[in-house]
Amino acid sequence: MTTGHDTAAASPAKGGAAPGRSSGEGPVTEQERRRRSRLSRRWQRDVRWSPYAFVSPFFLLFLAFGLFPLIYTGWASLHQVELTAPTDMKWVGLRNYTRIFDDDFYWNAAQNTLTIGIISTVPQLLMAMGIAHILNYKLRASTFYRVVMLAPYATSIAAASLVFVLLFGRDYGMINWALGTVGIDSVDWQNDTWASQIAVSTIVIWRWTGYNALIYLAAMQAIPQDLYESAALDGASRWQQFFHVTLPSLRPTILFTVVVSTIGASQLFGEPLLFDANKGASGGPEHQFQTLGLYLYEQGWVNQHLGRASAIAWTMFLILIVIGIVNYVISRRLRASS
């Protein structure tokens, strides 16, 4: 009489066949073994090379619209080439660089870029920090306020600049009307040096404050609540918690926003271009708010000197490299100190 164990031993269980051979399958032929070997090699190649195929569109687009224009611009900066004949190049070496460094308009544009960058970046980040600190509390309709913060960023540069041109109008602008109600004379915002730079900076502040506020808000919400509870138990007030808990925890984020805002300020173009009453690239009648971006555009597309414009573009690129190096050094020191 056979038991259940004998039956189980006599007949193999379902699915218990040896690997690579199904139940009832005969010996594997040489042709089948070769087919399986080809499939195995194909699968290995697929696993190895598929990730590169998935990311290749980005690199192809970067080569076509990023790296190639950068290299070609560097090559064109060493030649005398005009917009009317872009293929007719004459080798001049570093003359375009020495020429722009001796150009007073270049240094004027560089100074204006620095001034507008400081006037727009410092108040912008301070306001963004304050707004983020307020939104970090539990408020009703907090989602609505966050959407409102992003509305200026989503607005077109052209639309925003044209609205601010009307606001800063000399004769009928709302800003001068408000100043007149408190006894202050009208300001010629588009022709005065400091007034025009403040007006252009106001456009930048309006567009980017909400964007940076949301970045700060996201970083604040990542701070552990235990730190605030410990500070509260030690008797720290709200302001003390902000200065001794929030700000130290936000140092990497603050550094990131400072670097990004600095890069954006060095490439400022649309706001000063549209703020000009004559809609030209001179940055006002006396070049009082002409930035490096406007100067590059003026040399390349107004004066049609592509070689000189390429040299200006590469000087701006080198400035960005310096900013990146400074960011790297400061980041390393912050990580070491923490």
Side-chain angles (χ1 to χ4, degrees):
M1 180 177 178
T2 59
T3 62
H5 297 286
D6 298 333
T7 306
S11 59
K14 292 183 178 180
R21 183 182 300 180
S22 60
S23 179
E25 184 182 358
V28 179
T29 62
E30 183 65 24
Q31 183 178 4
E32 180 65 16
R33 186 178 294 108
R34 291 178 180 177
R35 187 184 69 85
R36 292 182 181 180
S37 178
R38 287 196 301 269
L39 291 177
S40 177
R41 288 195 299 268
R42 185 180 303 173
W43 179 82
Q44 292 176 358
R45 288 194 298 268
D46 181 63
V47 171
R48 177 179 298 179
W49 299 109
S50 290
Y52 297 99
F54 293 147
V55 300
S56 60
F58 165 77
F59 290 101
L60 292 176
L61 292 175
F62 174 74
L63 289 174
F65 300 102
L67 185 60
F68 173 74
L70 181 65
I71 297 176
Y72 185 80
T73 302
W75 179 251
S77 67
L78 303 176
H79 294 77
Q80 180 182 350
V81 52
E82 303 297 325
L83 182 62
T84 55
T87 58
D88 187 9
M89 293 186 175
K90 179 182 178 182
W91 176 266
V92 293
L94 298 177
R95 193 178 72 178
N96 286 325
Y97 292 94
T98 58
R99 188 170 181 177
I100 63 173
F101 287 143
D102 293 334
D103 189 356
D104 293 337
F105 291 109
Y106 175 83
W107 294 110
N108 173 72
Q111 181 180 355
N112 292 339
T113 303
L114 177 63
T115 305
I116 295 175
I118 295 174
I119 297 175
S120 61
T121 300
V122 176
Q124 172 195 152
L125 297 183
L126 292 177
M127 293 171 59
M129 182 68 69
I131 294 172
H133 185 63
I134 295 174
L135 293 178
N136 195 31
Y137 292 105
K138 294 182 179 180
L139 301 175
R140 293 182 178 179
S142 59
T143 304
F144 170 76
Y145 293 124
R146 295 173 187 178
V147 173
V148 171
M149 289 295 101
L150 272 181
Y153 172 71
T155 305
S156 169
I157 297 179
S161 300
L162 292 177
V163 170
F164 274 88
V165 167
L166 297 177
L167 291 176
F168 285 103
R170 183 186 61 182
D171 299 324
Y172 305 102
M174 186 176 294
I175 304 298
N176 279 340
W177 171 81
L179 294 176
T181 58
V182 295
I184 300 177
D185 295 334
S186 297
V187 179
D188 193 355
W189 295 100
Q190 292 182 324
N191 294 319
D192 184 74
T193 300
W194 281 103
S196 60
Q197 293 182 3
I198 292 174
V200 172
S201 301
T202 304
I203 307 174
V204 180
I205 293 172
W206 181 81
R207 290 195 71 244
W208 291 98
T209 299
Y211 175 83
N212 289 309
L214 291 184
I215 294 179
Y216 288 146
L217 178 61
M220 289 179 182
Q221 292 180 344
I223 300 175
Q225 292 297 321
D226 298 342
L227 298 178
Y228 292 104
E229 294 175 359
S230 300
L233 291 176
D234 292 337
S237 63
R238 293 282 189 179
W239 280 108
Q240 290 174 334
Q241 293 178 22
F242 177 76
F243 283 108
H244 297 287
V245 177
T246 304
L247 286 182
S249 302
L250 292 181
R251 284 187 300 180
T253 306
I254 294 173
L255 178 61
F256 168 77
T257 54
V258 169
V259 172
V260 172
S261 299
T262 304
I263 293 174
S266 65
Q267 298 176 337
L268 197 62
F269 174 75
E271 291 86 348
L273 175 66
L274 296 173
F275 188 76
D276 191 354
N278 298 321
K279 298 298 181 291
S282 59
E286 297 180 0
H287 302 266
Q288 65 268 20
F289 57 91
Q290 185 183 46
T291 61
L292 285 175
L294 278 182
Y295 183 69
L296 184 154
Y297 178 79
E298 182 183 39
Q299 291 297 319
W301 279 263
V302 178
N303 299 335
Q304 299 184 353
H305 302 318
L306 289 184
R308 199 178 308 170
S310 300
I312 298 171
W314 262 85
T315 59
M316 296 173 63
F317 177 67
L318 295 177
I319 292 174
L320 297 182
I321 292 179
V322 172
I323 295 174
I325 294 174
V326 173
N327 174 36
Y328 174 74
V329 173
I330 297 177
S331 299
R332 287 194 60 183
R333 293 187 175 180
L334 288 177
R335 286 195 298 266
S337 62
S338 60

